[in-house]
Coordinates of all heavy atoms in Angstrom, one line a residue:
R47 N 121.8 94.1 127.4 CA 121.3 93.3 126.2 C 120.4 94.1 125.2 O 119.8 95.0 125.7 CB 120.6 92.2 126.7 CG 121.5 91.0 127.3 CD 120.7 90.3 128.4 NE 119.4 90.2 128.4 CZ 118.7 89.1 127.9 NH1 119.4 88.0 127.6 NH2 117.4 89.1 127.8
K48 N 120.5 93.7 124.0 CA 119.7 94.3 122.9 C 118.3 94.4 123.3 O 117.5 95.4 123.1 CB 119.9 93.4 121.7 CG 119.9 94.3 120.4 CD 120.3 93.4 119.2 CE 119.2 92.7 118.5 NZ 119.4 91.8 117.5
E49 N 117.8 93.3 123.9 CA 116.4 93.2 124.3 C 116.0 94.3 125.2 O 114.6 94.5 125.5 CB 115.9 91.8 124.8 CG 116.2 90.7 123.9 CD 117.6 90.2 124.0 OE1 118.1 89.6 124.9 OE2 118.3 90.4 122.9
D50 N 116.8 94.6 126.1 CA 116.6 95.7 127.3 C 116.0 97.0 126.6 O 115.2 97.6 127.2 CB 117.9 96.0 128.0 CG 118.4 94.8 128.8 OD1 117.6 94.1 129.1 OD2 119.6 94.9 128.9
F51 N 116.3 97.2 125.4 CA 115.9 98.4 124.6 C 114.6 98.3 124.0 O 113.9 99.3 123.7 CB 116.9 98.9 123.7 CG 118.3 99.2 124.3 CD1 119.3 98.3 124.4 CD2 118.5 100.5 124.8 CE1 120.4 98.6 125.0 CE2 119.7 100.9 125.5 CZ 120.7 99.8 125.5
T52 N 114.1 97.2 123.8 CA 112.9 96.9 123.0 C 111.7 97.8 123.4 O 111.0 98.4 122.6 CB 112.6 95.4 122.9 OG1 113.7 94.6 122.5 CG2 111.4 95.1 121.9
P53 N 111.3 97.8 124.7 CA 110.2 98.6 125.2 C 110.2 100.1 124.8 O 109.3 100.8 124.8 CB 110.1 98.4 126.6 CG 111.0 97.4 127.0 CD 112.0 97.2 125.9
F54 N 111.5 100.6 124.6 CA 111.7 102.0 124.4 C 112.0 102.4 123.0 O 112.2 103.6 122.7 CB 112.9 102.4 125.4 CG 112.8 101.9 126.8 CD1 113.6 101.0 127.2 CD2 111.7 102.4 127.5 CE1 113.4 100.5 128.5 CE2 111.5 101.9 128.9 CZ 112.5 101.0 129.3
I55 N 112.0 101.5 122.1 CA 112.2 101.8 120.6 C 111.2 102.8 120.2 O 110.0 102.5 120.3 CB 112.3 100.5 119.7 CG1 113.5 99.8 120.1 CG2 112.2 100.9 118.3 CD1 113.7 98.4 119.4
G56 N 111.6 103.9 119.6 CA 110.5 104.9 119.1 C 110.0 105.9 120.1 O 109.0 106.5 119.8
A57 N 110.4 105.6 121.3 CA 109.8 106.6 122.5 C 110.7 107.7 122.9 O 110.5 108.3 123.9 CB 109.5 105.6 123.5
G58 N 111.7 108.0 122.1 CA 112.6 109.1 122.3 C 113.8 108.7 123.1 O 114.0 107.7 123.7
D59 N 114.8 109.6 122.9 CA 116.1 109.3 123.4 C 116.2 109.1 125.0 O 117.0 108.3 125.6 CB 117.2 110.4 123.1 CG 117.3 110.4 121.6 OD1 117.3 109.3 121.0 OD2 117.4 111.6 121.1
R60 N 115.4 110.0 125.7 CA 115.3 109.9 127.1 C 115.0 108.6 127.7 O 115.6 108.0 128.5 CB 114.5 111.0 127.7 CG 114.7 111.1 129.3 CD 113.8 112.2 129.8 NE 114.4 113.6 129.4 CZ 115.2 114.2 130.2 NH1 115.7 113.7 131.2 NH2 115.6 115.5 129.9
A61 N 113.8 108.1 127.0 CA 113.3 106.9 127.5 C 114.2 105.7 127.1 O 114.5 104.8 127.9 CB 111.8 106.5 126.8
F62 N 114.8 105.9 125.9 CA 115.7 104.9 125.4 C 117.0 104.6 126.4 O 117.3 103.4 126.7 CB 116.2 105.3 124.1 CG 116.9 104.3 123.2 CD1 116.2 103.2 122.7 CD2 118.3 104.4 123.0 CE1 116.8 102.3 121.9 CE2 119.1 103.5 122.3 CZ 118.3 102.4 121.7
L63 N 117.5 105.8 126.8 CA 118.8 105.7 127.7 C 118.4 105.5 129.2 O 118.8 104.5 129.8 CB 119.6 106.8 127.4 CG 120.4 106.9 126.2 CD1 121.0 108.3 126.1 CD2 121.6 106.0 126.4
C64 N 117.5 106.3 129.6 CA 117.2 106.3 131.1 C 116.3 105.1 131.4 O 116.6 104.5 132.5 CB 116.4 107.5 131.5 SG 117.4 109.0 131.2
G65 N 115.6 104.6 130.4 CA 114.7 103.4 130.8 C 115.6 102.2 131.0 O 115.4 101.5 132.1
V66 N 116.7 102.0 130.2 CA 117.5 100.9 130.4 C 118.4 101.1 131.7 O 118.6 100.2 132.4 CB 118.4 100.6 129.2 CG1 119.5 99.7 129.3 CG2 117.4 100.2 128.0
A67 N 118.9 102.4 131.9 CA 119.8 102.6 133.0 C 119.1 102.3 134.4 O 119.5 101.7 135.2 CB 120.1 104.2 133.1
E68 N 117.7 102.7 134.4 CA 116.8 102.4 135.4 C 116.7 101.0 135.7 O 116.7 100.5 136.9 CB 115.4 103.2 135.2 CG 114.6 103.4 136.5 CD 113.5 104.3 136.0 OE1 113.6 105.3 135.5 OE2 112.4 103.6 136.2
K69 N 116.5 100.3 134.7 CA 116.4 98.7 134.9 C 117.5 98.2 135.6 O 117.3 97.2 136.3 CB 116.3 98.2 133.5 CG 116.0 96.6 133.5 CD 115.7 96.1 132.1 CE 115.8 94.6 132.1 NZ 115.6 93.9 130.9
Y70 N 118.6 98.8 135.2 CA 119.9 98.1 136.0 C 120.3 99.0 137.3 O 121.4 98.8 137.8 CB 121.1 98.2 135.0 CG 121.0 97.1 133.9 CD1 120.4 97.3 132.8 CD2 121.4 95.8 134.2 CE1 120.2 96.3 131.8 CE2 121.3 94.7 133.3 CZ 120.6 95.0 132.0 OH 120.5 94.1 131.2
G71 N 119.5 99.8 137.7 CA 119.6 100.5 139.0 C 120.7 101.6 138.8 O 121.5 101.9 139.8
L72 N 121.1 102.1 137.5 CA 122.1 103.0 137.4 C 121.6 104.4 137.1 O 120.7 104.7 136.4 CB 122.8 102.6 136.0 CG 124.2 103.3 135.7 CD1 125.2 102.7 136.6 CD2 124.6 103.0 134.3
A73 N 122.2 105.3 137.9 CA 121.9 106.8 137.8 C 122.8 107.5 136.7 O 123.9 107.3 136.8 CB 122.0 107.6 139.1
I74 N 122.2 108.0 135.6 CA 123.0 108.6 134.5 C 122.5 110.0 134.4 O 121.3 110.4 134.6 CB 122.9 107.8 133.2 CG1 121.4 107.7 132.7 CG2 123.7 106.5 133.2 CD1 121.4 107.2 131.2
D75 N 123.4 110.9 133.9 CA 123.1 112.3 133.5 C 122.6 112.1 132.1 O 123.3 112.0 131.2 CB 124.4 113.1 133.7 CG 124.1 114.6 133.3 OD1 124.1 114.7 132.0 OD2 123.8 115.4 134.1
F76 N 121.3 112.4 131.8 CA 120.8 112.3 130.4 C 121.5 113.0 129.4 O 122.0 112.5 128.4 CB 119.3 112.5 130.5 CG 118.7 112.6 129.1 CD1 118.8 111.4 128.2 CD2 118.3 113.8 128.6 CE1 118.3 111.4 126.9 CE2 117.8 113.7 127.3 CZ 117.8 112.6 126.3
E77 N 121.7 114.3 129.6 CA 122.4 115.1 128.6 C 123.7 114.7 128.2 O 123.9 114.6 127.0 CB 122.4 116.6 129.2 CG 121.2 117.2 129.8 CD 120.2 117.7 128.8 OE1 120.6 118.4 127.8 OE2 119.0 117.5 129.0
Q78 N 124.4 114.4 129.3 CA 125.7 113.9 129.0 C 125.7 112.6 128.3 O 126.5 112.3 127.4 CB 126.5 113.8 130.4 CG 128.0 113.6 130.2 CD 128.6 113.3 131.5 OE1 128.0 113.5 132.6 NE2 129.7 112.5 131.5
A79 N 124.9 111.7 128.8 CA 124.8 110.4 128.1 C 124.4 110.5 126.7 O 124.9 109.8 125.8 CB 123.7 109.5 128.9
R80 N 123.5 111.4 126.3 CA 122.9 111.5 124.9 C 124.2 112.1 124.1 O 124.4 111.6 123.0 CB 121.8 112.5 124.9 CG 121.1 112.5 123.5 CD 120.0 113.4 123.6 NE 120.4 114.8 124.0 CZ 119.5 115.8 124.1 NH1 118.1 115.5 123.9 NH2 119.8 117.0 124.5
D81 N 125.0 112.9 124.6 CA 126.1 113.5 123.8 C 127.1 112.3 123.5 O 127.6 112.3 122.4 CB 126.9 114.6 124.7 CG 126.2 115.9 124.6 OD1 125.2 115.9 123.8 OD2 126.5 116.7 125.4
E82 N 127.3 111.5 124.5 CA 128.2 110.4 124.3 C 127.7 109.4 123.4 O 128.3 108.8 122.5 CB 128.7 109.8 125.6 CG 129.7 110.6 126.5 CD 129.9 110.1 127.8 OE1 130.0 108.8 128.0 OE2 130.0 110.9 128.7
L83 N 126.3 109.2 123.4 CA 125.6 108.2 122.6 C 125.7 108.7 121.1 O 126.1 108.0 120.2 CB 124.2 108.1 123.0 CG 123.4 107.2 122.1 CD1 123.8 105.7 122.4 CD2 121.9 107.4 122.5
F84 N 125.5 110.0 120.9 CA 125.6 110.5 119.6 C 126.9 110.5 119.0 O 127.0 110.3 117.7 CB 124.9 111.9 119.6 CG 123.4 112.1 119.6 CD1 122.9 113.1 120.0 CD2 122.8 110.8 119.2 CE1 121.4 113.1 120.1 CE2 121.3 110.9 119.2 CZ 120.7 112.0 119.8
S85 N 128.0 110.7 119.8 CA 129.3 110.7 119.2 C 129.6 109.3 118.6 O 130.0 109.1 117.5 CB 130.3 110.9 120.3 OG 130.1 112.3 120.8

Side-chain angles (χ1 to χ4, degrees):
R47 287 148 25 102
K48 215 167 93 184
E49 301 81 68
D50 294 331
F51 296 93
T52 307
F54 310 111
I55 290 177
D59 300 320
R60 188 178 287 275
F62 192 74
L63 280 170
C64 299
V66 173
E68 203 173 292
K69 180 175 170 184
Y70 286 90
L72 187 76
I74 55 168
D75 177 280
F76 169 62
E77 311 279 320
Q78 191 192 338
R80 192 177 54 185
D81 282 350
E82 285 174 35
L83 179 73
F84 282 156
S85 302

